[in-house]
Amino acid sequence: MKKFFTILISLAVIGTSTSCALFKIKVPETAQMTILSGGSSITSGATVTSRVLSISGTVHNPGGSTAYDFEGYAYIVVNGDTLELALSHSTGNEWTFDHSVAIVRGSNIIVILVYDLDHNLYEKSPDFTVYGDFPAYPLRIQLTWDTDGTDVDLHVYYYTSSTATSPSYHTWYSAKTPDEYSDGLYGIPNAYLDFDDTDGYGPENFTLEQLPASGVFKAFLRYYSGDVNTTATVKVYQSDTLVYTGSHTFTTYGNYDDPTNDWYFYTAQVVNSKIKN
Ligand SMILES: [Ca+2]
């Protein structure tokens, strides 16, 4: 087998040197994923009506068989958006992951990519295509962060008027849906924290399905738990258009529900059922 690859590489070099791209080394499609929508397994090309997909699968350690270190980097790429995977050792050189992601309306392409420590592409999964058959929601926020074993939380307050000094609703991990109640407030009407990631990287997604007539939304992050500097990245979409992206490094480590170091990154004022920016 080694001789085969040596020949293949030699041929590829010859091909490059003669500007003849006849030979190309193909990255093995050995990373595997199973995708669930609404609890049911779907195949590539499916149309779904839920924006949340649960994706589990297997990748292989570029460093070989070790139960202690994944000697590389594994990512899930959704429509070109790269999210690092939190991995658990399975057996031999196999590691597993289980993530939720939010897709957009229309066509979505999902792929797993694994790189070695030198950032060479080691393996990938076949591309998976899924079509989202749902409306373009007025507001969606995605949170990701860059450290494993840490927990950053996405919060959104809704003030019923621009002069209100305290929020009337709060969507967060303790009130993910409008009918959940926590710390004295219900979740925001027509809004959902699609999932709460608690062990690293995210994503964590907030979706507002319908705008109120008026009021103000304020979104912020809280570093809930962790003992390292953590950089969080947020992306805000209005009707599927990216309107804001930003990053913030938390240098005061996670202290559960301490609001001292919250990062407020987005405010939207709603007038006549439209976001006024
Ligand atoms: Ca979280």
Side-chain angles (χ1 to χ4, degrees), residues 70-98:
F70 188 82
E71 295 169 298
Y73 309 92
Y75 302 97
I76 186 166
V77 184
V78 182
N79 301 326
D81 211 358
T82 301
L83 311 165
E84 191 153 358
L85 288 171
L87 300 172
S88 301
H89 182 248
S90 173
T91 180
N93 69 338
E94 288 190 356
W95 291 62
T96 59
F97 61 89
D98 190 352

Side-chain angles (χ1 to χ4, degrees), residues 121-202:
L121 188 57
Y122 174 75
E123 69 172 354
K124 66 191 288 289
S125 69
D127 285 0
F128 193 103
T129 303
V130 57
Y131 189 87
D133 183 15
F134 43 77
Y137 296 115
L139 180 61
R140 184 164 75 87
I141 302 172
Q142 176 181 279
L143 157 67
T144 56
W145 62 98
D146 69 345
T147 56
D148 196 9
T150 61
D151 187 3
V152 182
D153 289 321
L154 173 60
H155 295 248
V156 182
Y157 281 144
Y158 171 52
Y159 301 71
T160 53
S161 80
S162 58
T163 54
T165 54
S166 56
S168 293
Y169 298 90
H170 182 193
T171 297
W172 57 311
Y173 65 84
S174 279
K176 294 193 187 78
T177 66
D179 57 1
E180 288 182 79
Y181 181 87
S182 187
D183 271 5
L185 296 176
Y186 278 101
I188 298 166
N190 302 305
Y192 299 85
L193 184 71
D194 290 329
F195 30 83
D196 170 30
D197 181 73
T198 60
D199 61 1
Y201 304 125

Side-chain angles (χ1 to χ4, degrees), residues 92-133:
N93 69 338
E94 288 190 356
W95 291 62
T96 59
F97 61 89
D98 190 352
H99 265 254
S100 293
V101 301
I103 57 171
V104 298
R105 188 170 61 118
S107 184
N108 296 263
I109 296 177
I110 302 167
V111 64
I112 305 293
L113 301 177
V114 178
Y115 293 84
D116 64 19
L117 291 174
D118 294 325
H119 301 281
N120 298 309
L121 188 57
Y122 174 75
E123 69 172 354
K124 66 191 288 289
S125 69
D127 285 0
F128 193 103
T129 303
V130 57
Y131 189 87
D133 183 15

Side-chain angles (χ1 to χ4, degrees), residues 213-241:
S214 61
V216 176
F217 292 90
K218 289 186 181 178
F220 65 97
L221 302 184
R222 182 168 297 172
Y223 190 8
Y224 183 83
S225 66
D227 56 7
V228 292
N229 285 6
T230 292
T231 299
T233 298
V234 292
K235 293 184 175 182
V236 180
Y237 300 84
Q238 291 173 197
S239 299
D240 288 348
T241 300

